[in-house]
Amino acid sequence: NIAMAAQMTDAHRRFLQVLMSHGIMEGSEARKLHRHCCEIHKVYYAHDKLDDFISAINSHLQPLFMQIRKGMSEDDGRAHYALVNLAETEVTKMASDYTENELELFRKTMDLIILSENGFASSTDILNLADQLKTKKMKKKEAEQVLKVFVEDKWLSERNGEYTLHSRCIIEMEQYILSNYQDAARKCNICHSLAIQSQVCESCGIGMHLPCVRKYFRAQIEPRCPQCNDLWSCDIP
């Protein structure tokens, strides 16, 4: 561990600072940043050593209960890196940024998304919750504004009036979601990370991310479930 600790350089510190300011970063951006930090601080750079570089940072973050975690975008399957606070894995970590009724709206939105068939909730359904909040009711206009902030802060993603959890939210809250939605939340059978937008096998009930479905069945003429070998009944995206 002491050997690991010695590897923390100004390049590592700069990388961490930039990631902290972004909250989450797409894989290609993280690779560019890795190169940039190594070049500026004249530290040895190898293009395929980003994960080792991050491991060195993580060994220093461990006593602070923080970690840089790698996750996947459910839209396109691209890798993302996010800085995660391990001491507070629940929605409570958002408490310093949002009011009680905003947090309640977020929790209810999360319920709708996770309990839905496709991992999305419509803005109409979410806005209908605004005047049912126990903490303090919200006007629809106000709720629309709050949803906009959740999207800007990368907790939610929005597409054509449909909302889902942002990659940042999935990476940061994976444990919280798995323990609080045990009947509804599932891990992807292929990449083993939390799957919100997924296809489910009608025979055995396993779930797979859409990008993982695409990749897994790419070369198969007759797509069969990796778990039970029954025909895959969903349309391959």
Side-chain angles (χ1 to χ4, degrees):
N1 224 9
I2 292 164
M4 286 291 285
Q7 295 171 9
M8 188 79 163
T9 65
D10 284 342
H12 294 88
R13 286 185 197 95
R14 181 182 286 261
F15 184 94
L16 178 59
Q17 277 172 342
V18 175
L19 183 60
M20 278 172 90
S21 68
H22 283 71
I24 187 167
M25 200 174 261
E26 205 253 311
S28 60
E29 287 177 356
R31 286 190 292 277
K32 272 188 218 149
L33 177 64
H34 173 214
R35 181 177 187 159
H36 175 69
C37 292
C38 290
E39 284 173 355
I40 278 189
H41 295 287
K42 298 180 173 49
V43 168
Y44 168 72
Y45 166 75
H47 72 91
D48 57 348
K49 293 282 186 244
L50 173 60
D51 286 348
D52 291 351
F53 184 83
I54 286 171
S55 290
I57 299 172
N58 279 340
S59 68
H60 283 261
L61 292 177
Q62 207 178 348
L64 308 170
F65 300 103
M66 296 192 86
Q67 188 183 51
I68 297 172
R69 273 201 192 149
K70 189 178 183 178
M72 184 190 87
S73 159
E74 296 200 318
D75 291 330
D76 54 22
R78 287 183 188 165
H80 281 70
Y81 292 87
L83 185 65
V84 177
N85 183 340
L86 303 173
E88 304 174 340
T89 50
E90 286 124 73
V91 185
T92 50
K93 69 160 63 173
M94 297 167 71
S96 55
D97 298 325
Y98 308 104
T99 63
E100 264 185 68
N101 65 336
E102 288 170 351
L103 278 182
E104 192 187 346
L105 184 68
F106 181 78
R107 282 196 191 92
K108 285 185 180 294
T109 302
M110 217 172 178
D111 288 347
L112 285 178
I113 291 168
I114 294 167
L115 302 174
S116 71
E117 299 248 313
N118 61 355
F120 282 89
S122 72
S123 56
T124 312
D125 287 345
I126 298 168
L127 295 174
N128 284 340
L129 299 170
D131 58 2
Q132 296 167 30
L133 301 179
K134 290 189 179 77
T135 41
K136 184 182 166 221
K137 290 179 175 44
M138 236 185 238
K139 290 193 175 76
K140 286 206 169 139
K141 249 312 146 266
E142 199 185 335
E144 276 171 5
Q145 201 47 47
V146 172
L147 284 177
K148 212 171 147 195
V149 172
F150 286 144
V151 170
E152 281 165 12
D153 292 348
K154 301 188 176 85
W155 294 110
L156 296 176
S157 291
E158 186 265 340
R159 200 167 58 216
N160 307 323
E162 296 276 314
Y163 289 82
T164 189
L165 301 184
H166 193 283
S167 306
R168 174 193 180 184
C169 182
I170 294 171
I171 296 171
E172 290 213 20
M173 295 197 186
E174 181 168 346
Q175 282 320 113
Y176 172 82
I177 292 168
L178 288 169
S179 55
N180 283 272
Y181 297 91
Q182 285 175 4
D183 297 335
R186 55 170 64 82
K187 286 194 172 190
C188 171
N189 192 261
I190 301 299
C191 72
H192 308 294
S193 56
L194 178 64
I196 302 296
Q197 299 171 46
S198 62
Q199 287 188 352
V200 176
C201 174
E202 282 183 5
S203 305
C204 70
I206 63 137
M208 285 159 69
H209 285 122
L210 305 186
C212 293
V213 166
R214 217 170 16 239
K215 215 181 285 179
Y216 184 77
F217 291 130
R218 197 165 26 202
Q220 297 184 27
I221 298 150
E222 196 181 55
R224 290 189 170 273
C225 172
Q227 178 92 357
C228 69
N229 208 34
D230 267 13
L231 273 176
W232 194 258
S233 54
C234 310
D235 293 334
I236 310 303

